[in-house]
Amino acid sequence: MGKLETVPALSATDLLAAPVALAAAGLHDPDILVAPIDPTLADTAEFCAAYDVGLEQSANCVVVAGKRDGEVRYAACVILATTRADVNGVVRKRLDVRKASFAPMDDAVSLTGMEYGGITPIGLPAGWPVLIDARVVEVPLVIIGSGLRRSKIVLPGAALASLATAEVISDLAR
């Protein structure tokens, strides 16, 4: 994968945020790899350019929030870097809220235990749906955050569909 130097994720848990390391251990998947990166290059466009990774191989995980009857509902959306999540269409309906938007950075960081810019679908709070665009699961090896800005996870896109609260949605992104 480009210039990334990967190792099995479970042999380098120092490159994973604590909730990600815990969840990855529970998956027992030898295909989950991790690679250290320059944390100043964690944002998708800069990362892809610096490490020779195509945008079509890189997926973003965004935390979305909406309110219903005073309750804030959260979901994580996993989409390819070449697309955008349909937050106020598909995601809003799935959360059953009037309006959905990206969760405030402080909320996303404190609720996930991950760094902003490194949030990943692996290790999210148990009750959160993980909405995955169908195009992501078709990618043989996809790159996602590790929970930290200083590393990235590489795994088969289809592996994300096996997460406990994963829902693969064909029209999540446009």
Side-chain angles (χ1 to χ4, degrees):
M1 299 236 66
K3 296 178 183 175
L4 292 177
E5 295 182 20
T6 60
V7 296
L10 296 180
S11 70
T13 56
D14 60 310
L15 293 174
L16 305 172
V20 178
L22 185 62
L27 294 175
H28 303 291
D29 190 336
D31 294 329
I32 299 176
L33 305 172
V34 66
I37 65 164
D38 179 337
T40 66
L41 300 172
D43 294 335
T44 305
E46 292 85 1
F47 163 77
C48 287
Y51 290 92
D52 290 333
V53 171
L55 288 171
E56 68 283 350
Q57 295 176 292
S58 184
N60 292 321
C61 180
V62 295
V63 177
V64 177
K67 268 190 186 178
R68 176 85 179 201
D69 299 326
E71 171 198 7
V72 179
R73 299 175 183 186
Y74 293 94
C77 300
V78 183
I79 55 172
L80 291 177
T82 56
T83 63
R84 298 180 65 162
D86 183 3
V87 173
N88 268 305
V90 175
V91 180
R92 178 187 60 78
K93 289 176 187 169
R94 169 56 185 83
L95 286 176
D96 191 26
V97 295
R98 283 192 174 152
K99 181 182 175 193
S101 58
F102 296 111
M105 179 178 60
D106 291 344
D107 292 351
V109 168
S110 67
L111 293 170
T112 63
M114 301 178 202
E115 295 176 358
Y116 189 76
I119 294 176
T120 188
I122 300 170
L124 290 171
W128 289 15
V130 177
L131 311 177
I132 305 170
D133 185 70
R135 288 169 276 205
V136 174
V137 300
E138 295 171 1
V139 178
L141 288 176
V142 68
I143 299 170
I144 59 175
S146 67
L148 304 172
R149 290 184 62 86
R150 62 187 178 91
S151 57
K152 295 283 186 181
I153 291 174
V154 179
L155 76 167
L160 294 172
S162 69
L163 295 172
T165 60
E167 297 174 35
V168 178
I169 300 175
S170 62
D171 59 350
L172 177 62
R174 32 189 164 100

